[in-house]
Coordinates of all heavy atoms in Angstrom, one line a residue:
M27 N -15.1 19.2 5.6 CA -15.0 17.7 5.5 C -14.3 17.4 4.1 O -13.6 16.4 4.0 CB -16.4 17.1 5.6 CG -16.4 15.6 5.7 SD -15.9 15.0 7.3 CE -17.5 15.1 8.2
K28 N -14.6 18.2 3.1 CA -14.0 17.8 1.8 C -12.5 17.9 1.8 O -11.8 17.1 1.1 CB -14.5 18.8 0.7 CG -15.6 18.3 -0.1 CD -15.9 19.2 -1.3 CE -17.0 18.5 -2.0 NZ -17.1 18.7 -3.3
V29 N -12.0 18.8 2.6 CA -10.5 18.9 2.7 C -9.9 17.6 3.3 O -8.9 17.2 2.8 CB -10.1 20.1 3.6 CG1 -8.6 20.2 3.8 CG2 -10.6 21.4 3.0
W30 N -10.6 17.1 4.3 CA -10.1 15.8 4.8 C -10.1 14.7 3.8 O -9.2 13.8 3.8 CB -10.9 15.4 6.1 CG -10.5 16.2 7.3 CD1 -11.2 17.1 7.9 CD2 -9.3 16.1 8.0 NE1 -10.5 17.6 9.0 CE2 -9.3 17.0 9.0 CE3 -8.1 15.3 7.9 CZ2 -8.3 17.2 9.9 CZ3 -7.1 15.4 8.7 CH2 -7.2 16.4 9.8
I31 N -11.1 14.6 3.0 CA -11.2 13.6 2.0 C -10.1 13.7 1.0 O -9.4 12.7 0.7 CB -12.6 13.7 1.3 CG1 -13.7 13.3 2.3 CG2 -12.6 12.7 0.1 CD1 -15.1 13.6 1.7
I32 N -9.8 14.9 0.6 CA -8.7 15.2 -0.4 C -7.4 14.9 0.2 O -6.5 14.2 -0.4 CB -8.8 16.6 -0.9 CG1 -10.0 16.9 -1.7 CG2 -7.5 17.0 -1.7 CD1 -10.3 18.3 -2.0
L33 N -7.2 15.3 1.5 CA -5.9 15.0 2.2 C -5.7 13.5 2.4 O -4.6 13.0 2.2 CB -5.8 15.7 3.5 CG -5.6 17.2 3.5 CD1 -5.7 17.8 4.9 CD2 -4.3 17.6 2.8
L34 N -6.7 12.8 2.8 CA -6.6 11.4 3.0 C -6.3 10.6 1.7 O -5.5 9.7 1.7 CB -7.9 10.8 3.7 CG -8.0 11.1 5.2 CD1 -9.4 10.7 5.6 CD2 -6.9 10.3 6.0
K35 N -7.0 11.0 0.6 CA -6.7 10.3 -0.6 C -5.3 10.7 -1.1 O -4.6 9.8 -1.7 CB -7.8 10.7 -1.7 CG -9.1 10.0 -1.5 CD -9.9 10.2 -2.7 CE -11.2 9.3 -2.6 NZ -12.0 9.4 -3.8
G36 N -4.9 11.9 -1.0 CA -3.5 12.3 -1.4 C -2.5 11.5 -0.6 O -1.5 11.0 -1.1
F37 N -2.7 11.4 0.7 CA -1.8 10.6 1.6 C -1.8 9.1 1.2 O -0.7 8.5 1.1 CB -2.3 10.7 3.1 CG -1.5 9.7 4.0 CD1 -0.2 10.1 4.4 CD2 -2.1 8.5 4.4 CE1 0.4 9.2 5.2 CE2 -1.4 7.7 5.2 CZ -0.1 8.0 5.6
A38 N -3.0 8.6 0.8 CA -3.1 7.2 0.4 C -2.3 6.9 -0.9 O -1.5 6.0 -1.0 CB -4.5 6.8 0.3
Y39 N -2.5 7.8 -1.8 CA -1.8 7.6 -3.1 C -0.2 7.8 -2.9 O 0.5 7.0 -3.5 CB -2.3 8.6 -4.2 CG -3.7 8.3 -4.7 CD1 -4.7 9.2 -4.7 CD2 -4.0 7.0 -5.1 CE1 -5.9 8.9 -5.1 CE2 -5.2 6.6 -5.6 CZ -6.2 7.6 -5.6 OH -7.5 7.3 -6.0
I40 N 0.2 8.8 -2.1 CA 1.6 8.9 -1.9 C 2.2 7.7 -1.1 O 3.2 7.2 -1.5 CB 1.9 10.3 -1.1 CG1 1.6 11.4 -2.0 CG2 3.3 10.3 -0.6 CD1 1.6 12.8 -1.3
W41 N 1.4 7.3 -0.1 CA 1.9 6.1 0.6 C 2.0 4.9 -0.3 O 3.0 4.1 -0.2 CB 0.9 5.8 1.8 CG 1.5 4.8 2.7 CD1 1.4 3.4 2.6 CD2 2.3 5.1 3.9 NE1 2.1 2.8 3.7 CE2 2.6 3.8 4.5 CE3 2.7 6.2 4.5 CZ2 3.4 3.7 5.6 CZ3 3.4 6.1 5.7 CH2 3.7 4.9 6.2
F42 N 1.0 4.6 -1.1 CA 1.1 3.5 -2.0 C 2.3 3.6 -3.0 O 2.9 2.6 -3.3 CB -0.2 3.3 -2.9 CG -1.3 2.7 -2.1 CD1 -2.6 3.2 -2.1 CD2 -1.1 1.5 -1.4 CE1 -3.7 2.6 -1.5 CE2 -2.2 0.8 -0.7 CZ -3.4 1.4 -0.8
T43 N 2.5 4.8 -3.5 CA 3.6 5.0 -4.4 C 5.0 4.7 -3.7 O 5.8 4.0 -4.2 CB 3.6 6.4 -5.0 OG1 2.4 6.6 -5.6 CG2 4.8 6.6 -5.9
V44 N 5.2 5.3 -2.5 CA 6.4 5.1 -1.8 C 6.6 3.7 -1.4 O 7.7 3.1 -1.5 CB 6.5 6.1 -0.6 CG1 7.6 5.8 0.3 CG2 6.5 7.5 -1.1
A45 N 5.5 3.0 -0.9 CA 5.6 1.6 -0.5 C 5.9 0.7 -1.6 O 6.7 -0.2 -1.5 CB 4.3 1.2 0.2
T46 N 5.3 1.0 -2.8 CA 5.6 0.2 -4.0 C 7.1 0.3 -4.4 O 7.8 -0.6 -4.7 CB 4.7 0.6 -5.2 OG1 3.3 0.4 -4.8 CG2 5.0 -0.2 -6.4
L47 N 7.6 1.6 -4.4 CA 9.0 1.8 -4.7 C 9.9 1.1 -3.7 O 11.0 0.6 -4.1 CB 9.3 3.3 -4.8 CG 8.6 4.0 -6.0 CD1 8.9 5.6 -5.8 CD2 9.1 3.5 -7.3
L48 N 9.5 1.1 -2.4 CA 10.3 0.5 -1.4 C 10.4 -1.0 -1.6 O 11.4 -1.6 -1.5 CB 9.8 0.8 0.0 CG 10.5 0.2 1.2 CD1 11.8 0.9 1.3 CD2 9.6 0.5 2.4
V49 N 9.2 -1.6 -1.9 CA 9.2 -3.1 -2.2 C 10.0 -3.4 -3.4 O 10.8 -4.4 -3.4 CB 7.7 -3.5 -2.3 CG1 7.6 -5.0 -2.8 CG2 7.0 -3.4 -0.9
L50 N 9.8 -2.6 -4.5 CA 10.6 -2.9 -5.7 C 12.1 -2.7 -5.4 O 12.9 -3.5 -5.9 CB 10.2 -2.0 -6.8 CG 8.8 -2.3 -7.4 CD1 8.4 -1.3 -8.4 CD2 8.7 -3.7 -8.0
A51 N 12.5 -1.8 -4.6 CA 13.9 -1.6 -4.3 C 14.4 -2.8 -3.5 O 15.6 -3.2 -3.7 CB 14.1 -0.3 -3.5
G52 N 13.6 -3.3 -2.6 CA 14.0 -4.5 -1.9 C 14.2 -5.7 -2.8 O 15.1 -6.5 -2.6
I53 N 13.3 -5.9 -3.7 CA 13.4 -7.0 -4.7 C 14.7 -6.8 -5.5 O 15.4 -7.8 -5.7 CB 12.2 -7.1 -5.6 CG1 11.0 -7.5 -4.7 CG2 12.4 -8.1 -6.7 CD1 9.6 -7.4 -5.4
V54 N 14.9 -5.6 -6.0 CA 16.1 -5.4 -6.8 C 17.4 -5.6 -6.0 O 18.4 -6.2 -6.4 CB 16.1 -4.0 -7.4 CG1 17.5 -3.6 -8.0 CG2 15.0 -3.8 -8.5
G55 N 17.4 -5.1 -4.7 CA 18.5 -5.4 -3.9 C 18.8 -6.8 -3.6 O 19.9 -7.3 -3.6
T56 N 17.7 -7.6 -3.4 CA 17.8 -9.0 -3.2 C 18.4 -9.7 -4.4 O 19.2 -10.6 -4.3 CB 16.4 -9.6 -2.9 OG1 15.9 -9.0 -1.7 CG2 16.5 -11.1 -2.6
W57 N 17.9 -9.3 -5.6 CA 18.4 -9.8 -6.9 C 19.9 -9.5 -7.0 O 20.7 -10.4 -7.4 CB 17.7 -9.2 -8.0 CG 17.9 -9.9 -9.4 CD1 19.1 -10.4 -9.8 CD2 16.9 -10.2 -10.3 NE1 18.9 -10.9 -11.1 CE2 17.6 -10.9 -11.4 CE3 15.6 -10.0 -10.4 CZ2 16.9 -11.3 -12.5 CZ3 14.9 -10.4 -11.6 CH2 15.6 -11.1 -12.6
M58 N 20.3 -8.3 -6.7 CA 21.7 -7.9 -6.9 C 22.6 -8.7 -5.9 O 23.7 -9.1 -6.2 CB 21.9 -6.4 -6.6 CG 21.3 -5.6 -7.8 SD 21.4 -3.8 -7.4 CE 23.1 -3.5 -7.2
K59 N 22.1 -8.9 -4.7 CA 23.0 -9.6 -3.7 C 22.9 -11.1 -3.8 O 24.0 -11.8 -3.7 CB 22.5 -9.2 -2.3 CG 23.4 -9.7 -1.2 CD 23.1 -9.0 0.1 CE 24.0 -9.7 1.2 NZ 24.6 -8.7 2.0
G60 N 21.7 -11.7 -4.1 CA 21.6 -13.2 -4.0 C 21.2 -13.8 -5.3 O 21.1 -15.0 -5.4
G61 N 20.9 -13.0 -6.4 CA 20.6 -13.6 -7.6 C 19.1 -13.9 -7.7 O 18.3 -13.7 -6.8
F62 N 18.7 -14.5 -8.9 CA 17.3 -14.8 -9.1 C 16.7 -15.8 -8.2 O 15.6 -15.7 -7.8 CB 17.2 -15.4 -10.6 CG 15.8 -15.6 -11.0 CD1 14.9 -14.6 -11.2 CD2 15.3 -16.9 -11.2 CE1 13.6 -14.8 -11.6 CE2 14.0 -17.1 -11.5 CZ 13.1 -16.1 -11.7
S63 N 17.5 -16.8 -7.7 CA 17.0 -17.8 -6.8 C 16.6 -17.1 -5.4 O 15.7 -17.5 -4.8 CB 18.0 -18.9 -6.5 OG 19.2 -18.4 -6.0
A64 N 17.4 -16.1 -5.0 CA 17.0 -15.4 -3.8 C 15.7 -14.6 -4.0 O 14.9 -14.6 -3.0 CB 18.1 -14.4 -3.4
V65 N 15.4 -14.1 -5.1 CA 14.2 -13.4 -5.4 C 13.0 -14.4 -5.4 O 12.0 -14.2 -4.9 CB 14.2 -12.6 -6.7 CG1 12.9 -12.1 -7.1 CG2 15.2 -11.5 -6.7
Q66 N 13.3 -15.6 -5.9 CA 12.3 -16.7 -5.9 C 11.9 -17.1 -4.5 O 10.8 -17.3 -4.1 CB 12.7 -17.9 -6.7 CG 12.6 -17.7 -8.2 CD 13.1 -19.0 -8.9 OE1 14.1 -19.6 -8.5 NE2 12.3 -19.3 -9.9
D67 N 13.0 -17.2 -3.6 CA 12.7 -17.5 -2.2 C 12.0 -16.3 -1.5 O 11.1 -16.6 -0.7 CB 14.1 -17.7 -1.5 CG 14.8 -19.0 -1.9 OD1 14.1 -19.9 -2.5 OD2 16.0 -19.1 -1.7
L68 N 12.3 -15.1 -1.9 CA 11.6 -14.0 -1.3 C 10.1 -13.9 -1.6 O 9.3 -13.6 -0.8 CB 12.3 -12.7 -1.7 CG 11.8 -11.3 -1.2 CD1 12.0 -11.2 0.3 CD2 12.4 -10.2 -1.9
L69 N 9.8 -14.2 -2.9 CA 8.5 -14.1 -3.4 C 7.7 -15.4 -3.3 O 6.6 -15.5 -3.8 CB 8.5 -13.5 -4.8 CG 9.1 -12.2 -5.0 CD1 9.1 -11.8 -6.4 CD2 8.4 -11.1 -4.1
S70 N 8.3 -16.4 -2.7 CA 7.6 -17.7 -2.5 C 6.3 -17.6 -1.8 O 6.2 -16.8 -0.8 CB 8.5 -18.7 -1.8 OG 7.8 -19.8 -1.4
P71 N 5.3 -18.2 -2.2 CA 4.0 -18.2 -1.5 C 4.1 -18.8 -0.1 O 3.2 -18.6 0.8 CB 3.0 -19.0 -2.3 CG 3.8 -19.7 -3.4 CD 5.2 -19.1 -3.4
F72 N 5.1 -19.5 0.2 CA 5.3 -20.1 1.5 C 6.1 -19.2 2.5 O 6.3 -19.5 3.6 CB 6.0 -21.4 1.4 CG 5.3 -22.4 0.6 CD1 5.8 -22.8 -0.7 CD2 4.1 -22.9 1.0 CE1 5.1 -23.7 -1.5 CE2 3.4 -23.8 0.2 CZ 3.9 -24.2 -1.0
N73 N 6.5 -18.0 2.0 CA 7.2 -17.0 2.8 C 6.2 -16.1 3.5 O 5.9 -15.0 3.0 CB 8.2 -16.2 1.9 CG 9.2 -15.4 2.7 OD1 9.0 -15.2 3.9 ND2 10.1 -14.8 2.0
I74 N 5.7 -16.6 4.6 CA 4.6 -15.9 5.3 C 5.1 -14.6 5.9 O 4.4 -13.6 5.9 CB 4.0 -16.8 6.4 CG1 3.4 -18.1 5.8 CG2 2.9 -16.1 7.1 CD1 2.4 -18.0 4.7
A75 N 6.3 -14.6 6.4 CA 6.8 -13.4 7.0 C 6.9 -12.2 6.0 O 6.5 -11.1 6.3 CB 8.2 -13.6 7.5
N76 N 7.3 -12.5 4.7 CA 7.3 -11.5 3.7 C 5.9 -11.0 3.4 O 5.7 -9.8 3.2 CB 8.0 -12.0 2.5 CG 8.2 -10.9 1.4 OD1 8.7 -9.9 1.7 ND2 7.7 -11.2 0.2
F77 N 5.0 -11.8 3.3 CA 3.6 -11.4 3.1 C 3.1 -10.5 4.2 O 2.4 -9.5 3.9 CB 2.7 -12.7 3.0 CG 1.2 -12.3 2.8 CD1 0.7 -11.8 1.6 CD2 0.4 -12.4 3.9 CE1 -0.6 -11.5 1.5 CE2 -1.0 -12.1 3.8 CZ -1.5 -11.6 2.6
V78 N 3.3 -10.9 5.5 CA 2.9 -10.1 6.6 C 3.5 -8.7 6.6 O 2.9 -7.7 6.8 CB 3.2 -10.8 7.9 CG1 2.9 -9.9 9.1 CG2 2.3 -12.1 8.0
V79 N 4.8 -8.6 6.3 CA 5.5 -7.4 6.3 C 5.0 -6.5 5.2 O 4.9 -5.3 5.3 CB 7.1 -7.6 6.2 CG1 7.8 -6.3 6.0 CG2 7.6 -8.2 7.5
T80 N 4.8 -7.1 4.0 CA 4.3 -6.3 2.9 C 2.9 -5.8 3.2 O 2.5 -4.6 2.9 CB 4.2 -7.2 1.6 OG1 5.6 -7.7 1.4 CG2 3.8 -6.4 0.4
A81 N 2.0 -6.6 3.8 CA 0.7 -6.1 4.2 C 0.8 -5.0 5.2 O 0.0 -4.0 5.1 CB -0.1 -7.3 4.8
I82 N 1.7 -5.1 6.2 CA 1.8 -4.0 7.1 C 2.3 -2.7 6.5 O 1.9 -1.6 6.8 CB 2.8 -4.5 8.3 CG1 2.1 -5.5 9.1 CG2 3.2 -3.3 9.1 CD1 3.0 -6.2 10.1
T83 N 3.2 -2.9 5.5 CA 3.7 -1.7 4.7 C 2.6 -1.0 4.0 O 2.6 0.2 4.0 CB 4.8 -2.2 3.8 OG1 5.8 -2.8 4.5 CG2 5.4 -1.0 3.0
F84 N 1.7 -1.7 3.4 CA 0.6 -1.1 2.6 C -0.6 -0.7 3.4 O -1.5 0.0 2.9 CB 0.2 -2.0 1.4 CG 1.2 -2.0 0.3 CD1 2.2 -3.0 0.2 CD2 1.2 -1.0 -0.7 CE1 3.1 -3.0 -0.8 CE2 2.0 -1.0 -1.7 CZ 3.0 -2.0 -1.8
A85 N -0.7 -1.2 4.7 CA -1.9 -1.0 5.5 C -2.3 0.5 5.7 O -3.4 0.9 5.6 CB -1.8 -1.7 6.8
P86 N -1.3 1.4 6.1 CA -1.7 2.8 6.3 C -2.3 3.5 5.1 O -3.3 4.2 5.2 CB -0.4 3.5 6.7 CG 0.4 2.4 7.2 CD 0.1 1.2 6.4
G87 N -1.8 3.2 3.9 CA -2.4 3.8 2.7 C -3.8 3.2 2.4 O -4.7 4.0 2.1
Y88 N -4.0 1.9 2.6 CA -5.3 1.3 2.4 C -6.3 1.9 3.4 O -7.4 2.2 3.1 CB -5.2 -0.2 2.5 CG -6.5 -0.9 2.3 CD1 -7.1 -0.9 1.1 CD2 -7.2 -1.4 3.4 CE1 -8.3 -1.6 0.9 CE2 -8.4 -2.0 3.3 CZ -9.0 -2.1 2.0 OH -10.2 -2.7 1.9
G89 N -5.8 2.0 4.7 CA -6.7 2.5 5.7 C -7.1 4.0 5.4 O -8.3 4.3 5.6
A90 N -6.2 4.8 5.0 CA -6.5 6.2 4.6 C -7.5 6.2 3.5 O -8.4 7.1 3.5 CB -5.2 7.0 4.3
F91 N -7.3 5.4 2.5 CA -8.2 5.4 1.4 C -9.6 5.0 1.8 O -10.6 5.6 1.4 CB -7.7 4.5 0.3 CG -8.5 4.6 -1.0 CD1 -8.3 5.7 -1.8 CD2 -9.4 3.6 -1.4 CE1 -9.1 5.8 -3.0 CE2 -10.1 3.7 -2.6 CZ -10.0 4.8 -3.4
V92 N -9.7 3.9 2.6 CA -11.0 3.5 3.1 C -11.7 4.5 3.9 O -12.9 4.8 3.8 CB -10.9 2.1 3.9 CG1 -12.2 1.8 4.6 CG2 -10.5 1.0 3.0
W93 N -10.9 5.2 4.8 CA -11.5 6.3 5.6 C -12.0 7.4 4.8 O -13.1 8.0 5.0 CB -10.4 6.8 6.6 CG -10.8 7.7 7.7 CD1 -12.1 8.0 8.0 CD2 -10.0 8.4 8.5 NE1 -12.1 8.9 9.1 CE2 -10.8 9.1 9.4 CE3 -8.6 8.5 8.7 CZ2 -10.3 10.0 10.4 CZ3 -8.1 9.3 9.7 CH2 -8.9 10.0 10.5
A94 N -11.3 7.8 3.7 CA -11.7 8.8 2.8 C -13.0 8.5 2.1 O -13.9 9.3 2.0 CB -10.6 9.2 1.8
E95 N -13.1 7.2 1.7 CA -14.4 6.8 1.1 C -15.5 6.8 2.1 O -16.6 7.1 1.7 CB -14.2 5.3 0.5 CG -13.3 5.3 -0.7 CD -13.8 6.1 -1.9 OE1 -15.0 6.0 -2.2 OE2 -13.0 6.8 -2.5
K96 N -15.3 6.4 3.3 CA -16.4 6.5 4.3 C -16.8 7.9 4.6 O -18.0 8.2 4.7 CB -15.9 5.8 5.6 CG -15.9 4.3 5.5 CD -15.8 3.6 6.8 CE -15.6 2.1 6.7 NZ -16.9 1.4 6.5
L97 N -15.8 8.8 4.6 CA -16.2 10.2 4.8 C -17.0 10.8 3.6 O -17.9 11.5 3.8 CB -14.9 11.1 5.0 CG -14.2 10.9 6.4 CD1 -12.9 11.7 6.4 CD2 -15.1 11.4 7.5
K98 N -16.6 10.3 2.5 CA -17.3 10.8 1.3 C -18.7 10.2 1.2 O -19.7 10.9 0.9 CB -16.5 10.3 0.0 CG -17.0 10.9 -1.3 CD -16.1 10.5 -2.4 CE -16.6 11.1 -3.7 NZ -15.7 10.7 -4.8
E99 N -18.9 9.0 1.6 CA -20.2 8.4 1.7 C -21.0 9.1 2.8 O -22.2 9.3 2.6 CB -20.0 6.9 2.1 CG -21.2 6.0 1.8 CD -20.9 4.6 2.0 OE1 -20.2 4.0 1.1 OE2 -21.2 4.1 3.1
K100 N -20.4 9.4 3.9 CA -21.1 10.1 5.0 C -21.6 11.5 4.6 O -22.6 12.0 5.0 CB -20.2 10.2 6.2 CG -20.9 10.7 7.4 CD -19.9 10.7 8.6 CE -20.5 11.2 9.9 NZ -19.5 11.2 10.9
E101 N -20.8 12.1 3.7 CA -21.1 13.5 3.2 C -22.2 13.5 2.2 O -22.8 14.5 2.0 CB -19.8 14.1 2.6 CG -19.9 15.5 2.3 CD -18.6 16.1 1.8 OE1 -18.3 15.7 0.6 OE2 -17.9 16.8 2.5
G102 N -22.5 12.3 1.6 CA -23.6 12.2 0.7 C -23.1 12.0 -0.7 O -24.0 11.8 -1.6
G103 N -21.8 11.9 -1.0 CA -21.4 11.6 -2.3 C -21.3 10.1 -2.5 O -21.2 9.3 -1.5
K104 N -21.3 9.7 -3.7 CA -21.1 8.2 -3.9 C -19.7 7.9 -4.0 O -18.8 8.6 -4.4 CB -21.8 7.8 -5.2 CG -21.8 8.7 -6.3 CD -22.6 8.2 -7.5 CE -22.1 9.0 -8.7 NZ -22.6 8.7 -9.9
P105 N -19.3 6.7 -3.5 CA -17.9 6.2 -3.5 C -17.4 6.0 -4.9 O -18.1 5.6 -5.7 CB -17.9 4.9 -2.7 CG -19.3 4.5 -2.6 CD -20.2 5.7 -2.9
S106 N -16.1 6.4 -5.1 CA -15.5 6.2 -6.4 C -14.8 4.9 -6.5 O -14.3 4.3 -5.6 CB -14.6 7.4 -6.7 OG -13.6 7.5 -5.7

C-alpha cells in the first residue's frame, strides 16, 4: 500500500508541475501574440471558460493527491 501512496503523490507533484508550466506557457504565448490587454482578458474573473479549463487541467493531480491522503489515512498514518 505504501508504494501506491508514493506513486500517487509523485504523479500528483509531476502533474501539478507540468500543468503549471503549461498554463504559464499559455499566458506567455498570449502575451506575445496579443499583448498585455489579451492577458488581462484571459485572466479576467468573468472568463468562466478559462477557469473551467484550468480546473480540468489541475483536477487529475488534485485527485491523485487526495487519493494518496485517503490511502495514508486508511493505512493508519496521519495526513500530511
Side-chain angles (χ1 to χ4, degrees):
M27 191 74 85
K28 260 190 179 212
V29 173
W30 281 109
I31 295 170
I32 293 169
L33 286 174
L34 283 170
K35 280 193 175 185
F37 171 79
Y39 288 129
I40 290 170
W41 191 275
F42 279 134
T43 302
V44 171
T46 301
L47 291 174
L48 181 68
V49 169
L50 289 176
I53 292 171
V54 168
T56 302
W57 191 319
M58 289 173 61
K59 187 167 177 133
F62 184 70
S63 62
V65 174
Q66 283 182 318
D67 291 339
L68 180 69
L69 299 177
S70 169
F72 301 109
N73 190 350
I74 303 298
N76 185 52
F77 175 76
V78 170
V79 169
T80 304
I82 290 170
T83 301
F84 283 96
Y88 180 73
F91 189 74
V92 170
W93 190 9
E95 289 298 316
K96 287 197 185 271
L97 287 176
K98 189 174 184 181
E99 198 174 279
K100 185 176 179 183
E101 191 178 70
K104 34 181 200 179
S106 54

